[in-house]
Structures are given as structure tokens and as C-alpha cells.
Amino acid sequence: MAILIGDTAPDFTLESTEGNIHFHDYIDGSWAVLFSHPKNFTPVCTTELGYTAKLKPEFEKRGVKVLGLSVDKLEDHGGWARDIEETQGSALNFPLLADSEGKVARLYDMIHPNADNTLTVRSVFVIGPDKKVKLKIEYPASTGRNFDEVLRVIDSLQLTAKHQVATPVNWQSGEDVIIVPAVSNEQAKTKYPEGWKELKPYLRIVPQPQD
Ligand code: BEZ
């Protein structure tokens, strides 16, 4: 059965470039990103992993642990990691799962047989500290993902979790946000004593809350 937003992320144990990963233990109250890429030693994947490694400080700032997955053997990861460093200027600095039997790929529906029978598509799962799936996105093998967008979504998800606000179309961190409909005007008055801009009763805008 497909994993849907709001579901508990399925647990697994698998070897990685940084030792065995017990996924739920690995999350350990943090946010997590689990992402697949189709295959080692392929061009788009090489650029994606290099860029994700470059973003490590941004993920850390947000308390997010990153975990990559490919359906390749552990012994193949080392040579490819050297290529990533050489061509992208950043070394692999997060664990890369070696899912050569496709166990986790199947568990997370990362293999789409009508696209390719054995390789994974480009899946991204953002998982909250409660181990629930907060976001899933899927790209075909030929299109590299936008990992800045993954960070943008995490900013939005974390604001929602902390402040009960939602983020509008094309929102970027620092811009105005929306009070979620579940918050009544009475409750909003306590949270936002300065008030809000009410374009419609259901569309109430406030500056982004600061931590
Ligand atoms: C790539 O990463 O470039 C790639 C991988 C599998 C299929 C197509 C492209």
C-alpha cells in the first residue's frame, strides 16, 4: 500500500556508508529527509548528491538528518563518492543506504515498474520528529530535483508545526504567512495581539513569526 502524507514512515534496518541504519532510531526526534536516486555512477545523480552534501549546514540548521538511498552495493558507493567529490567539489557527508536488494525501495514505493523495473525514481520523503511523513515528491530519472525547494518546504513545515501558520503560493522564508483556518479569531488575538490583515474571513495574513 502506498505511503501517504500523515502515515508513520515504515521502519527498516539497512547497511549504509556510515554503518547499519535502524531508521526510527536514526530519526531519534529529529526531522529527516529520505531520498532515493536511480543509480550510482550516473550523471544527474552525481550532481544531486554533490549539491545535497553542500547543503548539509542548511539541513543541520533546521535539525534535519539526511539519508540517501540507491539500489547499489555498499562496495560501489566508495568509488562513486570519490567521483562526487572530484566533480562537484563536495564530499558525501551523509549516509548513503546500500539497498541492492531493493528492500527499502519497495517498502517506500520508490520503484515504479512502468518507468523502470529495477531502478528507483527520484523520491523524497520528509519525515517529522513524530516519524510521520510530512511530504513526498517523485521525479523521473531524467530530471534532477531542486533541493533548495526541499529546504523551502521544510521551513514551511516547521513553521506550521511550531506556529500553526500555513504558507502561500511561492512563499519564501521571511515573507508573510497565513493563519490556519483551525485557529479561531479569538485564539488569533492572543497569538497576534498586533492583529492581522484580513482579506477574507478565511484569508488572514500575518508577518512570519520569528523563533
Ligand atoms: C542520471 O542520474 O543521470 C540518470 C540515472 C538513471 C537514468 C537516467 C539518468
Side-chain angles (χ1 to χ4, degrees), residues 57-73:
E58 293 300 322
F59 284 111
E60 280 180 346
K61 222 159 63 185
R62 292 161 174 82
V64 180
K65 293 179 178 173
V66 176
L67 188 55
L69 174 146
S70 70
V71 285
D72 290 273
K73 294 201 172 89

Side-chain angles (χ1 to χ4, degrees), residues 166-168 171-172 174-178 197 205-208:
T167 56
W171 172 86
Q172 294 290 338
E175 294 176 358
D176 288 351
V177 299
I178 292 167
K197 191 162 55 174
I205 313 278
V206 283
Q208 177 180 320

Side-chain angles (χ1 to χ4, degrees), residues 37-39 41-46 48 116 119-120 122 141-143:
H37 60 271
K39 186 126 197 73
F41 300 105
T42 52
V44 177
C45 300
T46 301
E48 284 192 333
D116 190 292
L119 304 184
T120 56
R122 299 185 191 281
S142 52
T143 306

Side-chain angles (χ1 to χ4, degrees), residues 123-187:
S123 296
V124 182
F125 290 87
V126 175
I127 294 148
D130 57 359
K131 302 188 179 71
K132 304 273 189 213
V133 173
K134 307 295 180 186
L135 166 87
K136 55 183 267 196
I137 50 180
E138 287 161 348
Y139 274 46
S142 52
T143 306
R145 287 157 287 195
N146 183 337
F147 279 84
D148 295 328
E149 166 66 2
V150 175
L151 285 176
R152 189 190 75 89
V153 178
I154 289 169
D155 284 341
S156 170
L157 290 168
Q158 293 187 339
L159 272 176
T160 304
K162 195 160 184 190
H163 298 288
Q164 288 188 288
V165 292
T167 56
V169 60
N170 292 346
W171 172 86
Q172 294 290 338
S173 184
E175 294 176 358
D176 288 351
V177 299
I178 292 167
I179 302 170
V180 297
V183 173
S184 68
N185 278 350
E186 279 312 301
Q187 292 165 323

Side-chain angles (χ1 to χ4, degrees), residues 18 33 38 47-48 53 84 104 121 132 140 148 163 187 195 205 211:
E18 299 186 17
V33 171
T47 63
E48 284 192 333
I84 292 169
V104 176
V121 295
K132 304 273 189 213
D148 295 328
H163 298 288
Q187 292 165 323
I205 313 278
D211 288 326

Side-chain angles (χ1 to χ4, degrees), residues 67-89:
L67 188 55
L69 174 146
S70 70
V71 285
D72 290 273
K73 294 201 172 89
L74 189 58
E75 57 260 35
D76 292 336
H77 282 355
W80 188 41
R82 282 191 289 281
D83 286 1
I84 292 169
E85 183 169 14
E86 182 190 325
T87 62
Q88 308 303 307

